[in-house]
Coordinates of all heavy atoms in Angstrom, one line a residue:
M220 N -33.7 -20.6 -1.7 CA -33.2 -19.3 -1.6 C -32.2 -19.1 -2.8 O -31.4 -19.8 -3.1 CB -32.5 -19.1 -0.3 CG -31.8 -17.8 -0.1 SD -31.3 -17.4 1.6 CE -29.7 -18.0 1.6
A221 N -32.4 -18.0 -3.5 CA -31.6 -17.7 -4.7 C -30.2 -17.2 -4.2 O -30.1 -16.6 -3.1 CB -32.3 -16.6 -5.5
D222 N -29.2 -17.6 -5.0 CA -27.8 -17.1 -4.7 C -27.8 -15.6 -4.8 O -28.3 -15.0 -5.7 CB -26.8 -17.8 -5.6 CG -26.6 -19.2 -5.3 OD1 -26.8 -19.6 -4.1 OD2 -26.2 -20.0 -6.2
R223 N -27.1 -15.0 -3.8 CA -26.8 -13.6 -3.9 C -25.6 -13.4 -4.7 O -24.7 -14.2 -4.8 CB -26.6 -13.1 -2.4 CG -27.7 -13.2 -1.5 CD -27.4 -12.7 -0.1 NE -26.3 -13.5 0.5 CZ -26.5 -14.7 1.1 NH1 -27.6 -15.2 1.1 NH2 -25.5 -15.3 1.6
P224 N -25.5 -12.2 -5.3 CA -24.3 -11.9 -6.0 C -23.1 -11.8 -5.0 O -23.4 -11.5 -3.8 CB -24.5 -10.5 -6.7 CG -25.7 -9.9 -5.9 CD -26.5 -11.1 -5.4
H225 N -21.9 -12.0 -5.5 CA -20.8 -11.9 -4.6 C -20.7 -10.5 -4.0 O -20.9 -9.5 -4.8 CB -19.5 -12.3 -5.3 CG -19.5 -13.7 -5.8 ND1 -19.5 -14.7 -4.9 CD2 -19.4 -14.2 -7.0 CE1 -19.5 -15.9 -5.6 NE2 -19.4 -15.6 -6.9
P226 N -20.5 -10.3 -2.8 CA -20.4 -9.0 -2.2 C -19.2 -8.2 -2.8 O -18.2 -8.8 -3.2 CB -20.2 -9.3 -0.7 CG -19.8 -10.7 -0.6 CD -20.2 -11.4 -1.8
D227 N -19.3 -6.9 -2.8 CA -18.3 -6.0 -3.2 C -17.4 -5.6 -2.0 O -17.9 -4.9 -1.2 CB -18.9 -4.8 -3.9 CG -17.9 -3.8 -4.4 OD1 -16.7 -4.0 -4.2 OD2 -18.3 -2.8 -5.0
P228 N -16.1 -6.0 -2.0 CA -15.3 -5.6 -0.8 C -15.1 -4.1 -0.7 O -14.7 -3.7 0.4 CB -14.0 -6.3 -1.1 CG -13.9 -6.5 -2.6 CD -15.4 -6.7 -3.0
H229 N -15.4 -3.3 -1.7 CA -15.2 -1.9 -1.6 C -16.5 -1.2 -1.2 O -16.5 0.0 -0.9 CB -14.8 -1.4 -3.0 CG -13.5 -2.0 -3.4 ND1 -12.3 -1.8 -2.8 CD2 -13.2 -2.9 -4.4 CE1 -11.4 -2.5 -3.4 NE2 -11.9 -3.2 -4.3
S230 N -17.6 -1.9 -1.1 CA -18.9 -1.3 -0.7 C -18.9 -1.3 0.9 O -18.9 -2.4 1.4 CB -20.1 -1.9 -1.3 OG -20.2 -3.2 -0.8
R231 N -19.0 -0.2 1.5 CA -19.1 -0.1 2.9 C -20.2 0.9 3.3 O -20.4 1.8 2.6 CB -17.8 0.4 3.5 CG -16.6 -0.4 3.2 CD -16.5 -1.6 4.1 NE -15.3 -2.3 3.8 CZ -15.2 -3.6 4.0 NH1 -16.2 -4.3 4.4 NH2 -14.1 -4.3 3.7
S232 N -20.8 0.6 4.4 CA -21.9 1.6 4.8 C -21.2 2.8 5.4 O -20.0 2.8 5.7 CB -22.8 0.9 5.8 OG -22.1 0.5 7.0
A233 N -22.0 3.8 5.7 CA -21.5 5.1 6.2 C -20.7 4.9 7.6 O -19.8 5.6 7.9 CB -22.6 6.1 6.3
D234 N -21.2 3.9 8.4 CA -20.5 3.7 9.7 C -19.3 2.8 9.6 O -18.7 2.5 10.7 CB -21.5 3.2 10.7 CG -22.0 1.8 10.4 OD1 -21.6 1.3 9.3 OD2 -22.8 1.3 11.1
G235 N -18.9 2.4 8.4 CA -17.7 1.6 8.3 C -17.9 0.1 8.4 O -17.0 -0.7 8.1
A236 N -19.2 -0.3 8.7 CA -19.4 -1.7 8.8 C -19.6 -2.2 7.4 O -20.3 -1.6 6.5 CB -20.7 -2.0 9.6
G237 N -19.1 -3.4 7.1 CA -19.2 -3.9 5.7 C -20.2 -5.0 5.6 O -21.0 -5.3 6.6
W238 N -20.3 -5.6 4.5 CA -21.2 -6.7 4.2 C -20.8 -7.9 5.1 O -19.7 -8.0 5.5 CB -21.0 -7.1 2.8 CG -21.7 -8.4 2.4 CD1 -23.0 -8.5 2.0 CD2 -21.2 -9.7 2.5 NE1 -23.3 -9.8 1.8 CE2 -22.2 -10.6 2.1 CE3 -20.0 -10.2 2.9 CZ2 -22.1 -11.9 2.1 CZ3 -19.8 -11.6 2.9 CH2 -20.9 -12.4 2.5
Q239 N -21.8 -8.7 5.5 CA -21.5 -9.9 6.2 C -22.6 -11.0 5.8 O -23.7 -10.7 5.5 CB -21.5 -9.7 7.7 CG -22.8 -9.1 8.3 CD -22.6 -8.8 9.7 OE1 -21.9 -9.6 10.5 NE2 -23.1 -7.7 10.2
P240 N -22.1 -12.3 5.7 CA -23.0 -13.4 5.3 C -24.0 -13.7 6.5 O -23.7 -13.3 7.6 CB -22.1 -14.5 5.0 CG -20.9 -14.3 5.9 CD -20.8 -12.8 6.0
P241 N -25.0 -14.5 6.2 CA -25.9 -15.0 7.3 C -25.0 -15.9 8.2 O -24.2 -16.7 7.7 CB -26.9 -15.8 6.5 CG -26.9 -15.3 5.1 CD -25.5 -14.9 4.9
E242 N -25.2 -15.7 9.5 CA -24.3 -16.4 10.5 C -24.4 -17.9 10.3 O -23.4 -18.6 10.5 CB -24.7 -15.9 11.9 CG -23.7 -16.3 12.9 CD -22.3 -15.7 12.7 OE1 -22.2 -14.5 12.2 OE2 -21.3 -16.3 13.0
H243 N -25.6 -18.4 9.9 CA -25.7 -19.9 9.8 C -24.8 -20.4 8.6 O -24.6 -21.6 8.5 CB -27.2 -20.3 9.7 CG -27.8 -20.0 8.4 ND1 -28.4 -18.7 8.1 CD2 -27.9 -20.7 7.2 CE1 -28.8 -18.7 6.9 NE2 -28.6 -19.9 6.3
E244 N -24.4 -19.6 7.7 CA -23.5 -20.0 6.6 C -22.0 -19.9 7.0 O -21.2 -20.2 6.2 CB -23.8 -19.2 5.4 CG -25.2 -19.4 4.8 CD -25.5 -18.6 3.6 OE1 -24.5 -18.0 3.0 OE2 -26.6 -18.6 3.1
V245 N -21.7 -19.3 8.2 CA -20.3 -19.1 8.5 C -19.7 -20.3 9.2 O -20.3 -20.9 10.1 CB -20.3 -17.9 9.5 CG1 -18.8 -17.7 10.0 CG2 -20.8 -16.6 8.8
E246 N -18.5 -20.7 8.8 CA -17.7 -21.8 9.4 C -16.8 -21.1 10.4 O -15.9 -20.3 10.1 CB -16.9 -22.4 8.3 CG -16.1 -23.6 8.7 CD -15.3 -24.1 7.6 OE1 -15.7 -24.1 6.4 OE2 -14.1 -24.6 7.8
P247 N -17.0 -21.5 11.7 CA -16.2 -20.9 12.7 C -14.7 -21.3 12.6 O -14.4 -22.4 12.0 CB -16.7 -21.5 14.1 CG -18.1 -22.0 13.7 CD -18.1 -22.3 12.3
A248 N -13.8 -20.4 13.0 CA -12.4 -20.7 12.8 C -11.6 -20.0 14.0 O -12.2 -19.1 14.7 CB -11.9 -20.2 11.5
Y249 N -10.4 -20.4 14.1 CA -9.5 -19.8 15.1 C -8.1 -19.8 14.4 O -7.4 -20.8 14.6 CB -9.5 -20.5 16.4 CG -8.6 -19.8 17.4 CD1 -9.1 -18.8 18.2 CD2 -7.3 -20.2 17.6 CE1 -8.3 -18.1 19.1 CE2 -6.5 -19.6 18.5 CZ -7.0 -18.5 19.3 OH -6.2 -17.9 20.2
Q250 N -7.9 -18.8 13.5 CA -6.7 -18.9 12.7 C -5.9 -17.6 12.9 O -6.3 -16.5 12.5 CB -7.0 -19.0 11.2 CG -5.9 -18.9 10.3 CD -5.0 -20.1 10.5 OE1 -5.4 -21.3 10.3 NE2 -3.7 -19.9 10.8
P251 N -4.7 -17.7 13.6 CA -3.9 -16.5 13.7 C -3.4 -16.0 12.4 O -3.1 -16.9 11.5 CB -2.8 -16.9 14.6 CG -3.2 -18.2 15.3 CD -4.2 -18.8 14.3
V252 N -3.3 -14.7 12.2 CA -2.7 -14.2 10.9 C -1.9 -12.9 11.2 O -2.0 -12.3 12.2 CB -3.9 -13.8 9.9 CG1 -4.6 -15.0 9.4 CG2 -4.8 -12.8 10.5
Q253 N -1.1 -12.6 10.2 CA -0.5 -11.3 10.2 C -1.2 -10.6 9.0 O -1.3 -11.1 7.9 CB 1.0 -11.4 9.9 CG 1.8 -11.7 11.2 CD 3.2 -11.3 11.0 OE1 3.9 -11.6 10.1 NE2 3.8 -10.7 12.1
I254 N -1.6 -9.3 9.3 CA -2.3 -8.5 8.4 C -1.5 -7.5 7.7 O -0.9 -6.7 8.5 CB -3.5 -7.9 9.1 CG1 -4.4 -8.9 9.8 CG2 -4.4 -7.0 8.1 CD1 -5.4 -8.3 10.8
N255 N -1.3 -7.5 6.5 CA -0.6 -6.4 5.7 C -1.6 -5.3 5.5 O -2.5 -5.4 4.6 CB 0.0 -7.0 4.4 CG 0.8 -6.0 3.7 OD1 0.9 -4.8 4.1 ND2 1.5 -6.4 2.6
R256 N -1.5 -4.2 6.2 CA -2.4 -3.1 6.1 C -2.2 -2.3 4.9 O -1.1 -2.3 4.3 CB -2.4 -2.2 7.4 CG -2.8 -3.0 8.6 CD -2.5 -2.2 9.8 NE -3.4 -2.1 10.9 CZ -4.7 -2.2 11.0 NH1 -5.4 -2.5 9.9 NH2 -5.4 -2.1 12.1
T257 N -3.2 -1.5 4.5 CA -3.0 -0.7 3.3 C -1.9 0.3 3.4 O -1.4 0.8 2.4 CB -4.4 0.0 2.9 OG1 -4.8 0.8 4.1 CG2 -5.5 -1.0 2.6
D258 N -1.6 0.7 4.6 CA -0.5 1.7 4.7 C 0.9 1.1 4.7 O 1.9 1.8 4.9 CB -0.7 2.6 6.0 CG -0.6 1.8 7.3 OD1 -0.2 0.6 7.3 OD2 -0.8 2.4 8.4
G259 N 1.0 -0.2 4.6 CA 2.2 -0.9 4.5 C 2.7 -1.5 5.9 O 3.6 -2.3 5.9
S260 N 2.0 -1.2 6.9 CA 2.3 -1.7 8.2 C 1.7 -3.1 8.4 O 0.9 -3.5 7.6 CB 1.8 -0.8 9.4 OG 0.4 -0.7 9.4
W261 N 2.2 -3.8 9.4 CA 1.7 -5.2 9.7 C 1.0 -5.2 11.1 O 1.4 -4.4 12.0 CB 2.8 -6.2 9.7 CG 3.3 -6.5 8.3 CD1 4.3 -5.8 7.6 CD2 2.9 -7.5 7.5 NE1 4.4 -6.4 6.4 CE2 3.6 -7.4 6.3 CE3 2.0 -8.5 7.6 CZ2 3.5 -8.3 5.2 CZ3 1.8 -9.4 6.5 CH2 2.5 -9.3 5.4
A262 N 0.0 -6.0 11.2 CA -0.7 -6.2 12.5 C -0.9 -7.6 12.7 O -1.1 -8.4 11.8 CB -2.0 -5.4 12.5
V263 N -0.9 -8.1 14.0 CA -1.3 -9.4 14.3 C -2.8 -9.5 14.5 O -3.4 -8.5 15.0 CB -0.6 -9.9 15.6 CG1 -1.1 -11.3 16.0 CG2 0.9 -9.8 15.5
G264 N -3.4 -10.5 13.9 CA -4.9 -10.6 14.0 C -5.3 -12.1 14.1 O -4.5 -13.0 14.2
R265 N -6.6 -12.2 13.9 CA -7.2 -13.6 13.9 C -8.4 -13.6 13.0 O -9.2 -12.7 12.9 CB -7.7 -13.8 15.3 CG -8.2 -15.2 15.5 CD -8.3 -15.7 16.9 NE -7.0 -15.7 17.6 CZ -6.7 -14.9 18.6 NH1 -7.6 -14.1 19.2 NH2 -5.5 -15.0 19.2
I266 N -8.4 -14.7 12.2 CA -9.6 -15.1 11.4 C -10.5 -15.9 12.3 O -10.0 -16.9 12.9 CB -9.3 -15.8 10.1 CG1 -8.5 -14.9 9.2 CG2 -10.5 -16.4 9.5 CD1 -7.9 -15.7 8.0
N267 N -11.7 -15.5 12.5 CA -12.6 -16.2 13.4 C -13.9 -16.7 12.6 O -14.8 -17.2 13.3 CB -13.0 -15.5 14.6 CG -13.8 -14.2 14.4 OD1 -14.2 -14.0 13.3 ND2 -13.9 -13.4 15.4
G268 N -13.9 -16.6 11.3 CA -15.0 -17.2 10.5 C -14.6 -17.2 9.1 O -13.9 -16.3 8.6
W269 N -15.1 -18.2 8.4 CA -15.0 -18.3 6.9 C -16.3 -18.4 6.3 O -17.2 -19.0 6.9 CB -14.2 -19.6 6.6 CG -12.7 -19.6 6.9 CD1 -12.1 -20.0 8.0 CD2 -11.7 -19.0 6.1 NE1 -10.8 -19.8 7.9 CE2 -10.5 -19.2 6.8 CE3 -11.6 -18.3 4.9 CZ2 -9.3 -18.7 6.3 CZ3 -10.4 -17.9 4.4 CH2 -9.2 -18.1 5.1
W270 N -16.5 -17.9 5.1 CA -17.7 -18.1 4.3 C -17.3 -18.3 2.9 O -16.4 -17.6 2.4 CB -18.6 -16.8 4.4 CG -19.8 -16.9 3.6 CD1 -20.9 -17.5 3.9 CD2 -20.0 -16.2 2.3 NE1 -21.9 -17.4 2.9 CE2 -21.3 -16.6 1.9 CE3 -19.2 -15.4 1.5 CZ2 -21.8 -16.1 0.7 CZ3 -19.7 -15.0 0.3 CH2 -21.0 -15.4 -0.1
R271 N -17.9 -19.2 2.2 CA -17.7 -19.5 0.8 C -19.0 -19.4 0.1 O -20.0 -20.0 0.5 CB -17.0 -20.9 0.6 CG -15.6 -20.9 1.2 CD -15.1 -22.3 1.3 NE -13.7 -22.3 1.8 CZ -13.4 -22.2 3.1 NH1 -14.3 -22.1 4.0 NH2 -12.2 -22.3 3.5
P272 N -19.0 -18.7 -1.1 CA -20.3 -18.6 -1.8 C -20.7 -19.9 -2.3 O -19.9 -20.8 -2.7 CB -19.9 -17.7 -3.0 CG -18.6 -17.0 -2.6 CD -17.9 -17.9 -1.6
S273 N -22.0 -20.2 -2.3 CA -22.5 -21.5 -2.7 C -22.3 -21.8 -4.2 O -22.1 -22.9 -4.6 CB -24.0 -21.7 -2.4 OG -24.7 -20.7 -3.0
A274 N -22.2 -20.7 -4.9 CA -21.9 -20.8 -6.4 C -20.4 -20.9 -6.7 O -20.1 -20.8 -7.9 CB -22.6 -19.7 -7.1
G275 N -19.6 -21.0 -5.7 CA -18.2 -21.0 -6.0 C -17.6 -19.6 -5.9 O -18.3 -18.6 -5.7
G276 N -16.4 -19.5 -6.1 CA -15.7 -18.2 -6.0 C -14.8 -18.0 -4.8 O -14.5 -19.0 -4.1
R277 N -14.4 -16.8 -4.6 CA -13.4 -16.5 -3.6 C -14.0 -16.7 -2.2 O -15.1 -16.3 -1.9 CB -13.0 -15.1 -3.8 CG -11.9 -14.6 -2.9 CD -11.6 -13.2 -3.3 NE -10.2 -13.0 -3.5 CZ -9.6 -11.9 -3.8 NH1 -10.3 -10.8 -3.9 NH2 -8.3 -11.9 -3.9
A278 N -13.2 -17.3 -1.3 CA -13.6 -17.4 0.1 C -13.4 -16.0 0.8 O -12.6 -15.2 0.5 CB -12.7 -18.4 0.8
W279 N -14.3 -15.8 1.8 CA -14.3 -14.6 2.6 C -14.0 -15.0 4.0 O -14.3 -16.1 4.4 CB -15.6 -13.9 2.5 CG -15.9 -13.1 1.3 CD1 -15.9 -13.7 0.0 CD2 -16.0 -11.7 1.1 NE1 -16.1 -12.6 -0.9 CE2 -16.2 -11.4 -0.2 CE3 -16.0 -10.7 2.0 CZ2 -16.4 -10.2 -0.7 CZ3 -16.2 -9.4 1.6 CH2 -16.4 -9.2 0.2
C280 N -13.3 -14.1 4.7 CA -13.0 -14.4 6.1 C -13.4 -13.2 7.0 O -13.3 -12.0 6.5 CB -11.6 -14.8 6.3 SG -10.3 -13.6 5.7
R281 N -13.7 -13.5 8.2 CA -14.0 -12.4 9.2 C -12.7 -12.3 10.0 O -12.2 -13.2 10.7 CB -15.1 -12.8 10.1 CG -15.5 -11.7 11.1 CD -16.7 -12.1 11.9 NE -16.7 -13.5 12.4 CZ -17.7 -14.3 12.6 NH1 -19.0 -13.8 12.3 NH2 -17.6 -15.5 13.0
V282 N -12.0 -11.1 9.9 CA -10.7 -10.9 10.5 C -10.7 -9.7 11.4 O -11.4 -8.8 11.2 CB -9.6 -10.8 9.4 CG1 -9.8 -9.5 8.6 CG2 -8.2 -10.8 10.0
R283 N -9.9 -9.8 12.5 CA -9.8 -8.8 13.5 C -8.4 -8.6 13.8 O -7.7 -9.5 14.1 CB -10.6 -9.2 14.7 CG -10.6 -8.2 15.8 CD -11.5 -8.6 16.9 NE -11.3 -7.7 18.1 CZ -10.8 -8.1 19.2 NH1 -10.4 -9.3 19.4 NH2 -10.6 -7.2 20.2
A284 N -7.9 -7.3 13.8 CA -6.6 -7.0 14.3 C -6.7 -7.0 15.8 O -7.6 -6.3 16.4 CB -6.2 -5.6 13.7
L285 N -5.7 -7.6 16.4 CA -5.7 -7.7 17.9 C -5.1 -6.4 18.5 O -4.2 -5.8 17.9 CB -4.9 -8.9 18.3 CG -5.5 -10.2 17.8 CD1 -4.6 -11.4 18.3 CD2 -6.9 -10.4 18.3
G286 N -5.5 -6.0 19.6 CA -5.0 -4.9 20.4 C -5.3 -3.5 19.8 O -4.7 -2.5 20.3
R287 N -6.2 -3.4 18.9 CA -6.4 -2.1 18.3 C -7.9 -1.7 18.5 O -8.3 -0.6 18.1 CB -6.2 -2.1 16.8 CG -4.7 -2.4 16.4 CD -4.5 -2.4 14.9 NE -3.1 -2.6 14.6 CZ -2.4 -1.6 14.1 NH1 -2.9 -0.5 13.7 NH2 -1.1 -1.9 13.8
G288 N -8.7 -2.5 19.2 CA -10.0 -2.1 19.5 C -10.9 -2.1 18.3 O -12.0 -1.5 18.3
E289 N -10.5 -2.7 17.2 CA -11.3 -2.7 15.9 C -12.3 -3.8 15.9 O -12.0 -4.9 16.4 CB -10.4 -2.8 14.7 CG -9.4 -1.6 14.6 CD -8.4 -1.8 13.5 OE1 -8.5 -2.8 12.7 OE2 -7.5 -1.0 13.3
A290 N -13.4 -3.6 15.3 CA -14.4 -4.7 15.2 C -14.0 -5.6 14.1 O -13.3 -5.2 13.1 CB -15.8 -4.0 14.8
P291 N -14.3 -6.9 14.1 CA -14.0 -7.8 13.0 C -14.7 -7.3 11.7 O -15.7 -6.7 11.7 CB -14.7 -9.1 13.5 CG -14.9 -9.0 14.9 CD -15.1 -7.5 15.2
T292 N -14.0 -7.6 10.6 CA -14.4 -7.2 9.3 C -14.4 -8.3 8.4 O -13.4 -9.1 8.3 CB -13.5 -6.0 8.8 OG1 -13.4 -5.0 9.7 CG2 -14.0 -5.5 7.5
W293 N -15.4 -8.4 7.5 CA -15.4 -9.5 6.5 C -14.7 -8.9 5.2 O -14.9 -7.8 4.8 CB -16.9 -9.8 6.0 CG -17.5 -10.7 7.0 CD1 -18.3 -10.4 8.0 CD2 -17.3 -12.1 7.1 NE1 -18.7 -11.5 8.7 CE2 -18.1 -12.6 8.2 CE3 -16.6 -13.1 6.4 CZ2 -18.2 -13.9 8.5 CZ3 -16.7 -14.4 6.7 CH2 -17.4 -14.8 7.8
V294 N -13.7 -9.7 4.8 CA -12.9 -9.4 3.6 C -12.7 -10.6 2.8 O -12.7 -11.7 3.3 CB -11.5 -8.8 4.0 CG1 -11.6 -7.5 4.8 CG2 -10.7 -9.8 4.8
P295 N -12.5 -10.4 1.5 CA -12.2 -11.6 0.6 C -10.8 -12.1 1.1 O -9.9 -11.2 1.3 CB -12.2 -11.1 -0.8 CG -12.3 -9.6 -0.7 CD -12.6 -9.2 0.7
F296 N -10.6 -13.4 1.2 CA -9.3 -13.9 1.6 C -8.3 -13.6 0.5 O -8.5 -13.9 -0.7 CB -9.3 -15.4 1.9 CG -7.9 -15.9 2.3 CD1 -7.4 -15.6 3.5 CD2 -7.2 -16.6 1.4 CE1 -6.1 -16.0 3.8 CE2 -5.9 -17.1 1.7 CZ -5.4 -16.8 2.9
D297 N -7.2 -13.0 0.9 CA -6.1 -12.6 -0.1 C -4.8 -13.0 0.6 O -4.4 -12.4 1.6 CB -6.1 -11.1 -0.4 CG -5.0 -10.7 -1.3 OD1 -4.1 -11.5 -1.6 OD2 -5.0 -9.5 -1.7
P298 N -4.1 -14.0 0.1 CA -2.9 -14.5 0.8 C -1.7 -13.4 0.7 O -0.8 -13.5 1.4 CB -2.5 -15.7 0.0 CG -3.2 -15.7 -1.3 CD -4.5 -14.9 -1.0
E299 N -1.9 -12.4 -0.1 CA -0.9 -11.3 -0.2 C -1.1 -10.4 1.0 O -0.2 -9.6 1.4 CB -1.0 -10.6 -1.5 CG -0.7 -11.4 -2.7 CD 0.7 -11.8 -2.8 OE1 1.6 -11.0 -2.5 OE2 1.0 -13.0 -3.2
R300 N -2.3 -10.3 1.5 CA -2.7 -9.4 2.6 C -2.8 -10.1 4.0 O -2.7 -9.4 5.0 CB -4.0 -8.7 2.3 CG -4.1 -8.1 0.9 CD -3.7 -6.7 0.8 NE -3.9 -6.0 2.0 CZ -4.2 -4.7 2.1 NH1 -4.3 -4.0 1.0 NH2 -4.3 -4.1 3.3
L301 N -3.1 -11.4 4.0 CA -3.3 -12.1 5.2 C -2.4 -13.3 5.2 O -2.6 -14.3 4.5 CB -4.8 -12.6 5.3 CG -5.8 -11.5 5.4 CD1 -7.2 -12.1 5.2 CD2 -5.7 -10.7 6.7
L302 N -1.4 -13.3 6.1 CA -0.4 -14.4 6.2 C -0.8 -15.3 7.3 O -0.9 -14.9 8.5 CB 1.0 -13.8 6.5 CG 2.1 -14.8 6.7 CD1 2.4 -15.6 5.4 CD2 3.4 -14.0 7.1
L303 N -1.3 -16.5 6.9 CA -1.7 -17.5 7.9 C -0.6 -17.9 8.7 O 0.5 -18.3 8.3 CB -2.4 -18.7 7.2 CG -3.6 -18.4 6.3 CD1 -4.1 -19.7 5.6 CD2 -4.7 -17.8 7.1
L304 N -0.8 -17.9 10.1 CA 0.2 -18.4 11.0 C -0.2 -19.7 11.7 O -1.4 -20.0 11.7 CB 0.4 -17.3 12.1 CG 0.8 -15.9 11.6 CD1 0.8 -14.9 12.8 CD2 2.2 -16.0 11.0
P305 N 0.7 -20.5 12.1 CA 0.4 -21.8 12.8 C -0.5 -21.5 14.0 O -0.2 -20.6 14.8 CB 1.7 -22.4 13.2 CG 2.8 -21.5 12.8 CD 2.2 -20.3 12.1
A306 N -1.5 -22.3 14.2 CA -2.4 -22.1 15.4 C -1.8 -22.9 16.6 O -2.1 -22.5 17.7 CB -3.8 -22.6 15.1
C307 N -1.0 -23.9 16.4 CA -0.4 -24.6 17.5 C 0.7 -25.5 16.9 O 0.8 -25.7 15.6 CB -1.4 -25.5 18.2 SG -2.2 -26.8 17.1
G308 N 1.5 -26.0 17.7 CA 2.6 -26.9 17.3 C 3.9 -26.1 16.9 O 3.9 -24.9 17.1
T309 N 4.9 -26.8 16.4 CA 6.1 -26.2 16.1 C 6.5 -26.4 14.6 O 5.9 -27.1 14.0 CB 7.3 -26.7 17.0 OG1 7.3 -28.1 16.8 CG2 7.0 -26.3 18.4

């Protein structure tokens, strides 16, 4: 299978659903995060999947804001926008 070009995080379909990788290429995760939203507000969320292009490049994650009824969205991982929180321990 030929490598696909890296997805464009700004390309979205009309219904708001974005690009997503084939599920068999997704690494499951359970990573709490704080999400810095584009309006400057923060939301608590969770990363529940990681995908890395086979040709290298930026990792993508499937993230969902909790308590907002939003569907999970694939976005390129950006530590300025997604603050990883401890999953357990102190």
